[in-house]
Amino acid sequence: MKDLFPDTADELEIGEIAYQDTMIDTVNAIIKKYDHNPTRLMDILIDTQSEFGYIPPPIVAQISRTLNISIVDIEQTLSFYHFFSAKPTGKYTIYLNNSVIANMMGREEVARTLEREAGCKFGDVSADGLIGLFSTSCIGMSDQEPAALINGKVFTRLTPFRVKEIIRDLKAGKRLDEAVVEGLGDGANAQPEIRSMVQNNIRKKGPILADGYKAGEALKKIVKMKPEDVIAEVKLSNIRGRGGAGFPTGMKWEICRNAPGEEKYIFCNADEGEPGTFKDRVILTEYPKMLMEGMAVAGYAVGAKKGILYVRYEYTYLQQHLESIIEGGRKKNYLGKNICGKEGFDFDIRIQFGAGAYVCGEESALIESAEGKRGEPRDRPPFPVESGYLEKPTIVNNVETLCSIVKIINHGAPWYRSMGTKESSGTKLLSISGDCKYPGVYEIEWGFSVNDVLEMVGASDVQAVQVGGPSGTLIGPNEFNRTLSYTDLSTGGSLIIFDKRRDLLKDVVMNFLNFFIDESCGSCSTCRNIPVFLRQKLEKILNARGVQKDIEEMLEWSKILKASRCGLGLTAANPVVTSIKNFRSLYDKKIQHGKDYDSNFDMLIAVKESCDAVGRVPQMS
Amino acid sequence: MERKKTIVATASLAGCFGCHMSLLDIDERILSLIDLVDFNKSPINDIKNFTEYCDIGIIEGSCCNSENVHALKEFRKNCRILISLGECAIMGGVPAMRNGIPIRECIEEAYMNSPSVKGHNPEMILPNDPELPMLLDRVYPCHEIVKIDYFLPGCPPRADLIYSALEALITGNEMKLPYEIVKYD
């Protein structure tokens, strides 16, 4: 791990700027922009980071003095998120995705080329301070990997050749937008407010993604209804949360509406961090109006006047686009005061960006983060619907859920229930990635089988499918007849396909374990430790040192994770557990048979470092 | 005919001897224990080397250097049943607090930088005599070096726990584990 907090000024490295008066003024201006509000610390740090490329201790001290909060409070937020740094990260900071899909699509070569061209290793900044290379978890581009963020701008489908071009351009002093030479993406990606090379890859449209959506239709309809009736309609539709957990949306709204207190909040969770998921990115790009209309509908139904759209840092390239949509909504009176002429129906939205943390997709961690703190999940109860943002009743809904609500209002609950299955009504957006001909976003009705999906996306020779991302299930061909639904294979929509070329244990399970280890907030000892132990065991097995008992212990230890506080810990062993369950033979092939114990201890390796330190030759006797 | 006594060996590796003290804490029951067991290699009787194959080996402490590893492997070779006794043997314990720090830094802190040595080691000599055990990169719990059959937790494990475990092993009866013995707060 990099040293985030250099102690003294003499540790200043090349590329660091001296703390000057101009910096003081800039930071003060940023703090002023957020009304000296400590709960807006995330925004203050994001702006500071993007202004200077890092947040050195003097600035932390200055923010602490100005906001009248302790330095430690700032440092703990600062150190929690991937995209904050107390040390310079280069004039151009490159974050290359290290998800399993990126690896499958050729990340390794791209990474080595980056190192060669930039002249520094990953985790470092080049000697001239121009380029910093870092790894990051899935950035939501799984259908166009390998992908990287350079100063927040997305570069997709990287190849060694392309990397050489980009680094050459940066070294030549070209601007980043000039470096996008391969053209712009489809749909709104090409608009001046986004100008990104990201592709939407919408492959199959259903009612949510259908053309012909007219903004404001749902709002005009609900202002003629009582809020209770809106909730009744949502309940009647049977819709459940689309983020993955599947909580009934109508019930959530009802509890929040009935919770005491005048001030309530609507959060839209656009933090999609589950590796392999990217459908929310497509909605944010193409259907942001629908999303915001959904938030306003929720506001009307539960009696909330403020909405917060929490968007992951990786999607900051959409910031201008989203802000102009909000502005447009205000002009049309779909946001603001007395919406659609309804006296007292006030609702407005602000965007809150994250700064790189998977766990912030968990609703209470997301709320903590929006309050400027570390994204650590809260203990429940109380649930956010009773005590959420700033301890006020808060709804947190997924992007897709809120869009579905708009369609439910427009077309009626019975229409919605006519799709899908009895327990799982409506449609689901799938993010398809991995080994198939047509990766992208598909909207299908619940109840399709995995086989149906594989056929649709042009996948052949399939060895396994990861349903629901790393926290989901790894299944093999004998389970491809299972259906996608809340009662069978429940999913937030990510399906990663692996064909027979892939080494499931080494490439997939190990990658997922590393992901969970990196992303654990560290609060529960179970989630902080067990995945590390599981990784040690898996390494041992991959090194041909494993025995039968190691597999049994992995399964036993995984059970302990059930004592964790949030979904991350609860599911962190799923890659191990489901791969042992469904691909036991892969493990059995690697372990030593006829042996009941192997320590995996190697004295020569264990004493090497200390012998080097004192200058002696290890003696094995 | 006199029943053959159970032969027990004990060792303290990277530990504080607290677990051995707890073993002595069984008070007068040590007399009835002596009727049941003979001690072979152990700090209690100061026998340095194994003189016969033992039934039970009790290990206190973790492995922090090559000597600990060697001793532990000797125990595994010479004992039918091996028990990890106490927090250090089972988890690494207090010695393992160094595990987050690179061993080079630990050595430099101990012999060059800490207040008690600063200025007293002008030639910056680091101990490297071949006679000295070599430090491991981290402190290992015993079961990561050899197979351990039983674990008796505690810091130190209560005398009652040690006694009832030995009694159960020797008599072959099931061990009594009342709640008070295994709760730790």
Side-chain angles (χ1 to χ4, degrees):
Chain A
M1 171 130 185
K2 56 186 170 171
D3 180 12
L4 280 166
F5 302 107
D7 297 327
T8 53
D10 52 79
E11 286 183 37
L12 285 179
E13 284 173 16
I14 303 163
E16 293 197 38
I17 350 165
Y19 185 58
Q20 302 154 340
D21 290 352
T22 51
M23 280 178 107
I24 298 176
D25 293 342
T26 311
V27 174
N28 278 337
I30 291 171
I31 296 172
K32 190 157 174 250
K33 183 175 158 199
Y34 298 104
D35 298 328
H36 290 76
N37 183 349
T39 68
R40 300 299 297 276
L41 183 61
M42 282 292 280
D43 306 87
I44 293 169
L45 293 178
I46 289 170
D47 285 6
T48 310
Q49 172 82 37
S50 90
E51 190 69 39
F52 305 120
Y54 72 120
I55 308 171
I59 289 185
V60 172
Q62 184 193 344
I63 297 174
S64 150
R65 278 193 307 276
T66 320
L67 292 181
N68 200 21
I69 54 176
S70 75
I71 285 181
V72 177
D73 278 334
I74 298 169
E75 283 182 346
Q76 64 170 348
T77 298
L78 177 55
S79 63
F80 187 83
Y81 299 91
H82 301 317
F83 296 112
F84 292 146
S85 172
K87 279 182 162 180
T89 52
K91 186 176 175 207
Y92 295 104
T93 314
I94 303 182
Y95 284 97
L96 181 63
N97 175 16
N98 63 5
S99 76
V100 63
I101 306 138
N103 287 338
M104 284 157 60
M105 301 302 154
R107 177 192 194 270
E108 187 57 28
E109 262 187 83
V110 168
R112 296 295 82 83
T113 313
L114 271 172
E115 288 185 335
R116 241 188 348 265
E117 296 299 312
C120 65
K121 294 276 171 206
F122 266 79
D124 258 337
V125 181
S126 63
D128 56 3
L130 187 71
I131 294 163
L133 294 181
F134 302 92
S135 290
T136 191
S137 302
C138 184
I139 60 171
M141 303 289 156
S142 300
D143 53 342
Q144 40 210 303
E145 290 292 343
L149 296 172
I150 306 180
N151 289 7
K153 209 164 181 62
V154 186
F155 289 78
T156 60
R157 294 185 201 279
L158 291 170
T159 58
F161 180 74
R162 186 87 184 95
V163 164
K164 278 184 199 162
E165 281 184 336
I166 293 170
I167 302 284
R168 189 194 59 211
D169 286 356
L170 296 182
K171 280 184 174 166
K174 277 200 191 173
R175 292 206 331 274
L176 261 185
D177 23 332
E178 291 172 317
V180 188
V181 287
E182 286 204 334
L184 300 166
D186 56 345
N189 288 305
Q191 284 178 8
E193 280 150 352
I194 304 182
R195 280 190 60 80
S196 162
M197 66 189 292
V198 176
Q199 294 285 347
N200 288 326
N201 289 333
I202 300 174
R203 307 280 187 182
K204 182 171 164 46
K205 292 187 176 188
I208 307 294
L209 300 182
D211 300 324
Y213 156 74
K214 281 198 212 68
E217 216 175 310
L219 284 172
K220 283 171 195 147
K221 202 163 169 186
I222 57 158
V223 292
K224 297 192 198 97
M225 296 162 73
K226 281 193 294 189
E228 290 84 353
D229 296 341
V230 176
I231 293 180
E233 189 73 13
V234 172
K235 282 177 87 172
L236 191 66
S237 77
N238 232 348
I239 184 173
R240 295 166 65 168
R242 294 296 193 245
F247 191 84
T249 308
M251 194 195 292
K252 194 185 258 186
W253 287 18
E254 191 170 58
I255 301 169
C256 188
R257 174 161 188 85
N258 294 335
E262 283 301 299
E263 203 180 327
K264 292 174 185 177
Y265 289 91
I266 306 295
F267 268 68
C268 171
N269 184 346
D271 193 48
E272 68 175 348
E274 189 75 42
T277 314
F278 47 85
K279 46 110 187 159
D280 291 346
R281 183 243 303 157
V282 173
I283 294 179
L284 290 170
T285 308
E286 294 299 324
Y287 306 92
K289 291 178 186 167
M290 195 194 306
L291 165 63
M292 291 173 194
E293 187 169 7
M295 289 177 75
V297 170
Y300 182 75
V302 307
K305 299 201 182 308
K306 287 176 187 161
I308 295 178
L309 172 58
Y310 188 105
V311 185
R312 66 189 311 218
Y313 176 88
E314 289 82 344
Y315 298 165
T316 39
Y317 73 99
L318 295 171
Q319 181 170 11
Q320 243 194 319
H321 173 59
L322 294 172
E323 274 167 359
S324 82
I325 299 289
I326 293 178
E327 203 42 57
R330 286 180 190 135
K331 281 195 188 121
K332 292 208 149 167
N333 194 225
Y334 296 150
L335 292 172
K337 293 214 176 299
N338 303 324
I339 292 169
C340 292
K342 175 89 173 178
E343 191 69 30
F345 177 16
D346 304 342
F347 188 79
D348 210 338
I349 296 173
R350 79 164 171 91
I351 302 173
Q352 174 70 60
F353 277 100
Y358 167 66
V359 71
C360 287
E362 195 280 339
E363 59 175 7
S364 65
L366 181 134
I367 291 169
E368 286 280 302
S369 176
E371 290 178 356
K373 295 182 270 185
R374 290 165 66 86
E376 276 183 19
R378 293 176 178 172
D379 268 328
R380 281 145 297 166
F383 289 91
V385 280
E386 291 158 332
S387 173
Y389 183 63
L390 307 175
E391 294 176 16
K392 305 284 189 272
T394 303
I395 293 276
V396 184
N397 277 148
N398 178 262
V399 172
E400 188 186 342
T401 314
L402 289 162
C403 289
S404 306
I405 298 281
V406 172
K407 298 289 173 154
I408 291 167
I409 297 295
N410 284 348
H411 303 288
W415 164 82
Y416 194 74
R417 283 175 68 158
S418 72
M419 294 175 291
T421 69
K422 190 163 169 291
E423 290 85 6
S424 314
S425 60
T427 60
K428 180 79 195 94
L429 265 60
L430 301 181
S431 312
I432 305 286
S433 62
D435 298 316
C436 64
K437 280 202 196 106
Y438 313 110
V441 173
Y442 293 73
E443 184 178 1
I444 60 158
E445 293 187 28
W446 287 109
F448 271 67
S449 75
V450 177
N451 266 328
D452 299 334
V453 174
L454 291 177
E455 195 178 323
M456 187 167 60
V457 306
S460 55
D461 220 14
V462 181
Q463 178 184 192
V465 177
Q466 182 75 29
V467 182
S471 68
T473 314
L474 183 69
I475 59 169
N478 57 339
E479 291 189 276
F480 288 172
N481 56 354
R482 289 178 65 183
T483 55
L484 300 173
S485 64
Y486 289 107
T487 44
D488 190 1
L489 275 176
S490 181
T491 171
S494 152
L495 264 75
I496 309 172
I497 301 161
F498 306 108
D499 68 19
K500 301 220 162 94
R501 289 172 294 166
R502 311 297 172 190
D503 183 334
L504 292 184
L505 304 192
K506 187 161 142 278
D507 299 340
V508 180
V509 180
M510 187 59 103
N511 180 282
F512 289 169
L513 272 176
N514 282 327
F515 170 74
F516 284 122
I517 290 166
D518 283 347
E519 297 293 341
S520 168
C521 83
S523 190
C524 306
S525 57
T526 45
C527 170
R528 194 171 61 239
N529 295 316
I530 300 282
V532 178
F533 294 148
L534 294 175
R535 178 170 67 185
Q536 283 170 1
K537 284 281 188 205
L538 186 58
E539 272 169 1
K540 187 179 166 188
I541 290 170
L542 290 173
N543 289 337
R545 294 288 294 264
V547 295
Q548 179 80 16
K549 189 145 180 19
D550 290 318
I551 302 175
E552 286 159 21
E553 281 181 355
M554 285 170 96
L555 288 174
E556 279 305 305
W557 295 353
S558 297
K559 292 178 191 162
I560 306 171
L561 272 167
K562 296 294 169 208
S564 307
R565 191 194 290 172
C566 83
L568 197 164
L570 292 172
T571 58
N574 281 3
V576 167
V577 174
T578 62
S579 63
I580 293 179
K581 182 172 159 268
N582 297 329
F583 298 91
R584 178 71 186 230
S585 64
L586 295 179
Y587 286 86
D588 286 337
K589 261 184 242 163
K590 300 236 188 245
I591 57 169
Q592 314 171 76
H593 295 277
K595 203 170 174 187
D596 68 341
Y597 180 86
D598 189 313
S599 75
N600 200 26
F601 177 79
D602 186 328
M603 180 79 95
L604 258 181
I605 294 171
V607 300
K608 183 173 186 308
E609 205 182 332
S610 76
C611 286
D612 284 352
V614 299
R616 70 187 268 195
V617 181
Q619 282 166 331
M620 296 298 134
S621 53
Chain B
M1 204 181 89
E2 197 188 335
R3 190 166 161 265
K4 192 182 173 299
K5 281 192 185 176
T6 303
I7 303 167
V8 177
T10 75
S12 179
L13 308 177
C16 69
F17 269 95
C19 297
H20 273 79
M21 297 308 285
S22 195
L23 176 65
L24 298 178
D25 242 2
I26 59 179
D27 300 329
E28 78 285 356
R29 278 175 294 179
I30 200 157
L31 295 175
S32 47
L33 191 64
I34 289 299
D35 285 340
L36 293 171
V37 307
D38 269 340
F39 279 93
N40 198 278
K41 177 178 161 70
S42 168
I44 293 173
N45 52 20
D46 215 15
I47 296 179
K48 304 285 191 206
N49 294 310
F50 283 104
T51 54
E52 60 185 316
Y53 190 72
C54 303
D55 299 297
I56 300 170
I58 299 174
I59 306 292
E60 166 188 349
S62 42
C63 292
C64 75
N65 62 32
S66 54
E67 171 60 25
N68 295 150
V69 173
H70 180 72
L72 183 57
K73 285 184 171 167
E74 278 298 295
F75 262 75
R76 183 69 273 182
K77 228 181 275 171
N78 288 288
C79 301
R80 190 165 61 84
I81 293 168
L82 210 51
I83 301 174
S84 268
L85 181 67
E87 173 67 18
C88 297
I90 297 172
M91 305 258 199
V94 172
M97 283 176 74
R98 78 156 157 97
N99 283 4
I101 305 164
I103 186 66
R104 181 185 289 270
E105 270 179 50
C106 292
I107 295 171
E108 286 172 357
E109 182 67 16
Y111 296 103
M112 288 159 62
N113 303 330
S114 73
S116 60
V117 292
K118 213 161 193 170
H120 299 285
N121 184 6
E123 286 155 65
M124 296 299 179
I125 294 168
L126 299 174
N128 61 2
D129 193 284
E131 287 296 306
L132 294 170
M134 297 171 288
L135 288 170
L136 306 182
D137 55 345
R138 62 182 175 91
V139 173
Y140 292 76
C142 293
H143 66 269
E144 288 188 16
I145 307 291
V146 300
K147 183 175 183 239
I148 298 290
D149 301 295
Y150 296 101
F151 300 85
L152 293 177
C155 183
R158 301 166 166 230
D160 290 346
L161 181 72
I162 302 172
Y163 183 79
S164 55
L166 286 176
E167 192 188 32
L169 277 175
I170 293 164
T171 60
N173 296 327
E174 198 175 329
M175 186 175 172
K176 290 182 280 298
L177 282 171
Y179 178 66
E180 298 75 53
I181 280 188
V182 288
K183 77 170 173 70
Y184 293 100
D185 53 18

